[in-house]
Amino acid sequence: MSGLSSFISAASERARQTDLLFFSATALSAFIILLVAGLIIGLSIRYRKNSTADRSELPSLLQREFETGWTLATVLLFVTIFGWASAQGFGAMTPAGEPLQINVVAKQWMWKSEHPGGEREINELHVPADRAILLSMNSQDVIHSFFVPALRIKQDVVPGHTEALSFIADKPGTYALLCAEYCGTQHSKMTGKVIVMEEEDYADWLSHQEADNSLAAQGERLFTTLGCSGCHGNSANVRAPPLEYVYGSPVALADGRIVEADDAYLRDSILQPKRDVVAGFKPIMPSFAGRVSEANLLALLAYLKKKPQQEARDD
């Protein structure tokens, strides 16, 4: 019963807006169904066999106005619902204010999350209420789907891609976390909890967590052991693009294109280094495809993303 309660409760403004859209569309659909059914039944009775009802045709002008009005009303209704749903969807994609970014890794059959300070948890996700949360999600094996019914959010997590999902929960409580994509024989056991806390309670919870082995710290060690620092480090003898300020910055490529150094670019640069060669540098970096696991790749990305950003350099 507690699971059902968690499913139907709305823990965010987005969830309530989604409910309003859903129930409005359902009520409208029910009204149209009843209207059409009523017309079918009423006209069937009126024009039944042996009925004396007037069966002459309507004037042609009235026929045209009726058809035009019915068609325009249907189009207007469709555009209204489409615009409403689109505005709600696009609004949810842009978190308000500076979001709290949390890394989430899916694997058979668990959800692993890491907070900015390195605090880690499995099958639980603690977040503060009334604050924008941005989840950066990856999968280590197969396709999973991050689903929190109480927040009305669901995002597929595909191996090889970094997916982003934002939300603002405004109702403290504990809510069900599910995988909505069949991911193997124990898919049904891939469950967890999203725990929404008041800001001060969240800060207190963080202060009691261990954070000595963050994903970024693991990535920093890999950066050295894999020999990356030998080329990309400040004292490297090999000339390779510096990485201190690259994440989120525009990068000029040898073929004249300019791309943003986002998660996909960094991932491709590690696994397919000859695909997007930086202008002014030779394509001498070997591919690390098959040499680093997905978990190690995520750690490297976390380290590169944690390096000083462009804004810090500009200051």
Side-chain angles (χ1 to χ4, degrees):
M1 193 64 189
S2 59
L4 178 61
S5 175
S6 174
F7 183 85
I8 61 177
S9 60
S12 68
E13 181 60 27
R14 176 182 177 180
R16 286 183 279 275
Q17 292 178 0
T18 301
D19 289 349
L20 178 61
L21 176 61
F22 172 76
F23 288 117
S24 297
T26 301
L28 185 58
S29 300
F31 170 75
I32 293 176
I33 290 173
L34 292 175
L35 176 63
V36 173
L39 287 173
I40 292 174
I41 294 172
L43 293 175
S44 298
I45 295 174
R46 178 177 174 81
Y47 295 104
R48 67 188 183 279
K49 187 177 180 180
N50 299 326
S51 168
T52 58
D54 183 11
R55 299 174 187 271
S56 59
E57 293 187 356
L58 290 173
S60 59
L61 180 62
L62 188 58
Q63 289 183 16
R64 186 168 60 251
E65 290 178 344
F66 181 79
E67 291 292 340
T68 303
W70 177 258
T71 303
L72 289 178
T74 304
V75 172
L76 180 62
L77 187 60
F78 170 78
V79 172
T80 300
I81 295 177
F82 177 79
W84 185 3
S86 298
Q88 180 177 324
F90 282 116
M93 294 172 62
T94 307
E98 184 66 25
L100 173 66
Q101 182 167 331
I102 300 175
N103 294 316
V104 175
V105 176
K107 63 174 295 186
Q108 293 173 324
W109 287 273
M110 65 180 70
W111 298 99
K112 299 191 296 185
S113 56
E114 180 181 309
H115 296 255
E119 300 82 1
R120 307 171 74 180
E121 48 188 336
I122 295 178
N123 290 338
E124 288 188 355
L125 177 61
H126 290 73
V127 296
D130 298 318
R131 183 173 178 184
I133 307 296
L134 177 61
L135 301 182
S136 179
M137 302 192 290
N138 295 90
S139 171
Q140 288 189 10
D141 36 48
V142 299
I143 299 177
H144 301 277
S145 188
F146 186 93
F147 180 35
V148 184
L151 298 175
R152 311 295 191 266
I153 56 173
K154 184 170 79 69
Q155 175 65 54
D156 288 352
V157 189
V158 181
H161 295 267
T162 299
E163 312 292 350
L165 178 65
S166 61
F167 65 89
I168 301 176
D170 57 12
K171 184 179 178 182
T174 300
Y175 306 102
L177 166 61
L178 308 171
C179 178
E181 180 75 28
Y182 180 73
C183 55
T185 55
Q186 298 187 51
H187 160 72
S188 62
K189 295 182 179 179
M190 191 168 174
T191 61
K193 296 182 291 185
V194 173
I195 303 165
V196 181
M197 314 172 76
E198 298 290 356
E199 185 75 36
E200 55 272 20
D201 294 333
Y202 176 71
D204 182 66
W205 176 83
L206 284 178
S207 66
H208 289 83
Q209 307 304 308
E210 296 182 359
D212 58 348
N213 192 29
S214 68
L215 199 61
Q218 298 174 44
E220 185 175 11
R221 290 193 291 272
L222 285 170
F223 194 76
T224 300
T225 57
L226 292 174
C228 308
S229 58
C231 297
H232 293 281
N234 294 329
S235 58
N237 295 322
V238 179
R239 187 167 177 268
L243 300 176
E244 283 80 1
Y245 308 107
V246 68
Y247 183 71
S249 302
V251 178
L253 303 181
D255 60 6
R257 291 180 296 131
I258 297 179
V259 299
E260 181 184 350
D262 54 11
D263 291 74
Y265 171 80
L266 294 178
R267 175 182 288 272
D268 289 344
S269 297
I270 296 172
L271 302 179
Q272 306 175 63
K274 292 181 174 55
R275 176 177 176 178
D276 294 323
V277 179
V278 178
F281 294 90
K282 296 180 180 179
I284 57 175
M285 176 174 166
S287 171
F288 282 81
R291 298 174 59 186
V292 294
S293 65
E294 182 68 20
N296 287 343
L297 183 59
L298 295 178
L300 283 171
L301 293 178
Y303 170 62
L304 294 176
K305 292 162 65 176
K306 200 170 184 178
K307 278 179 169 291
Q309 301 302 300
Q310 185 70 39
E311 291 78 10
R313 183 175 60 177
D314 293 339
D315 292 339

